[in-house]
Amino acid sequence: MQVKDGLRIVGLGHYVPDNTVTNDDLSKIVDTNDEWIATRTGIRKRHFVTTERNQDMAIAAAKMAIKDAGIDPLEIGACIVATIRPDNMTPAVACMVQKEVGLPTEIPCFDINAACSGFMYGVRVMRGMLMQSDKRYGLVIGSETLSKVLNMEDRGTCILFGDGAGAAVIELSDDHRYFSILGTKGDDEVLVCPNDGDRFVRMNGQEVFKFAVSTAPDTINQILDMAGLSADDIDHYVCHQANLRIISSVAKKCKQSIDKFYVNLDEYGNTSSASIPIALSEMKQKGLLKSGDKVVCAGFGGGLTWCGAYFEI
Ligand code: COA
């Protein structure tokens, strides 16, 4: 039984499909244009799967994270995949990760669904599980094939989303503080993706926008209170990559320079539960995450759900 209070991200990885779809590509399918999409969202392109399954992306991201951590897969004590669109109702994506990555068989591996907040939900659940595990590390993945649930005749939604996966290996730590906030306000009107009949994403964009620009700054302020820090103390903010106007509004409300907010939605669009771990993995690859850095993450999405977390690198 481990009783450490904090948590450390030991390894990060991500995978996005090679196939890119630009705003110009979409303008050939639906009545839109690059200027409208870029101005209203900041998105320039997104990556859509061709032959990849959700599990293929999750496995690739997991292998990269484990390599980055420099650990043996057999040291992992649990695997959680956050996704709204698993390949199968069963087996869970996490079960296929166990098989293909070579995780131990005597550990729990399962999927969770908290939409775009899923990865941060997964980290918090994993923390609790590691406290009862005799293994040191946990593997948390966000992986989404959202292109499969996009109505390519609905210009209000099909331009926003992309496919990809991000993964993190975490361990409990006494030297790295961790605080998190998870929230839920059940609503099946503002943002819905049914799993029978019309299985496409439906959304009231303006309502989601209003929800995001009020919830994310509130969550960040609550996290800062928990950590006993001011907004200026934070080195990096990593928001869910949904819309550049949302991230700019959050930066403004937190009185922080937009430069402290990592942005990659221009390249990937909104990859739901994968967006925060893809961003963290890219930041590490680019050498942006330095030992001792303080990171605040904030997300929001279907459910409605929201999430925030404070990490120390
Ligand atoms: N291309 C061109 N025009 C479009 C368009 C597109 N892709 N999508 C909508 N429009 C049109 C609308 O039909 C509307 O036309 P009208 O004025 O003639 O009726 C006009 O643009 C304005 O639409 P509106 O919905 O008011 O735009 P908006 O400024 O709210 O931007 C979103 C729409 C979806 C970009 C924005 O609301 C948003 O990003 N919301 C948050 C969504 C989100 O993050 N979802 C995921 C959460 S995890």
Side-chain angles (χ1 to χ4, degrees):
M1 175 102 148
Q2 304 184 57
V3 287
K4 296 171 183 168
D5 275 344
L7 181 152
R8 181 168 85 102
I9 299 175
V10 190
L12 287 159
H14 67 281
Y15 175 90
V16 287
D18 286 339
N19 174 40
T20 57
V21 179
T22 65
N23 293 345
D24 284 339
D25 292 334
L26 288 180
S27 70
K28 291 173 194 138
I29 303 169
V30 70
D31 181 15
T32 190
N33 56 74
D34 177 56
E35 203 263 331
W36 193 96
I37 301 172
T39 314
R40 300 285 178 124
T41 70
I43 298 167
R44 294 275 178 187
K45 57 176 136 158
R46 67 289 291 144
H47 297 235
F48 282 175
V49 289
T50 49
T51 55
E52 298 99 333
R53 297 163 297 179
N54 188 325
Q55 66 190 61
D56 298 322
M57 298 196 299
I59 290 162
K63 285 182 174 169
M64 182 174 162
I66 290 168
K67 190 170 176 213
D68 182 48
I71 63 159
D72 188 318
L74 293 174
E75 295 177 90
I76 288 175
C79 173
I80 297 175
V81 176
T83 185
I84 64 161
R85 218 285 181 181
D87 299 312
N88 302 295
M89 297 301 285
T90 190
V93 177
C95 296
M96 301 316 291
V97 172
Q98 181 278 326
K99 176 174 187 241
E100 297 300 332
V101 176
L103 305 182
T105 51
E106 71 278 12
I107 64 165
C109 298
F110 57 92
D111 295 353
I112 61 168
N113 176 348
C116 304
S117 310
F119 175 76
M120 305 303 296
Y121 269 62
V123 171
R124 170 94 160 256
V125 172
M126 182 61 77
R127 179 171 175 266
M129 292 182 69
L130 286 177
M131 286 177 173
Q132 296 173 42
S133 172
D134 55 6
K135 294 203 184 280
R136 183 165 168 187
Y137 301 106
L139 177 60
V140 185
I141 304 168
S143 186
E144 302 286 9
T145 48
L146 295 172
S147 59
K148 296 191 185 226
V149 290
L150 293 181
N151 177 355
M152 296 311 283
E153 293 177 0
D154 176 11
R155 65 180 181 173
T157 53
C158 75
I159 55 139
L160 296 172
F161 298 96
D163 299 334
V169 175
I170 62 173
E171 70 171 341
L172 302 181
S173 167
D174 274 335
D175 306 321
H176 299 76
R177 296 190 312 151
Y178 163 77
F179 301 96
S180 86
I181 285 177
L182 305 176
T184 311
K185 182 172 176 277
D187 184 316
D188 59 2
E189 290 182 2
V190 172
L191 181 50
V192 186
C193 184
N195 64 4
D196 55 5
D198 166 11
R199 61 190 172 81
F200 297 127
V201 173
R202 291 196 309 268
M203 184 184 68
N204 180 331
Q206 289 186 2
E207 285 304 315
V208 176
F209 195 97
K210 278 192 254 170
F211 165 66
V213 295
S214 69
T215 306
D218 285 353
T219 304
I220 289 173
N221 286 330
Q222 287 172 47
I223 284 285
L224 291 172
D225 279 351
M226 289 167 97
L229 296 169
S230 77
D232 290 345
D233 294 328
I234 303 304
D235 299 291
H236 309 281
Y237 290 91
V238 184
C239 283
H240 172 46
Q241 304 286 308
N243 185 317
L244 185 57
R245 286 192 294 142
I246 294 175
I247 297 178
S248 302
S249 164
V250 175
K252 206 168 160 192
K253 285 190 178 166
C254 294
K255 299 191 175 59
Q256 293 296 296
S257 159
I258 186 77
D259 296 341
K260 281 171 95 172
F261 286 69
Y262 189 75
V263 173
N264 64 7
L265 57 80
D266 49 329
E267 171 69 34
Y268 303 126
N270 177 345
T271 57
S272 191
S273 66
S275 99
I276 288 177
I278 291 176
L280 290 169
S281 176
E282 277 195 342
M283 290 168 75
K284 186 165 186 191
Q285 253 187 347
K286 291 179 181 173
L288 296 175
L289 299 179
K290 306 258 181 337
S291 176
D293 277 0
K294 301 178 177 68
V295 181
V296 166
C297 300
F300 51 85
L304 298 168
T305 57
W306 62 93
C307 59
Y310 169 79
F311 297 102
E312 293 172 351
I313 302 301

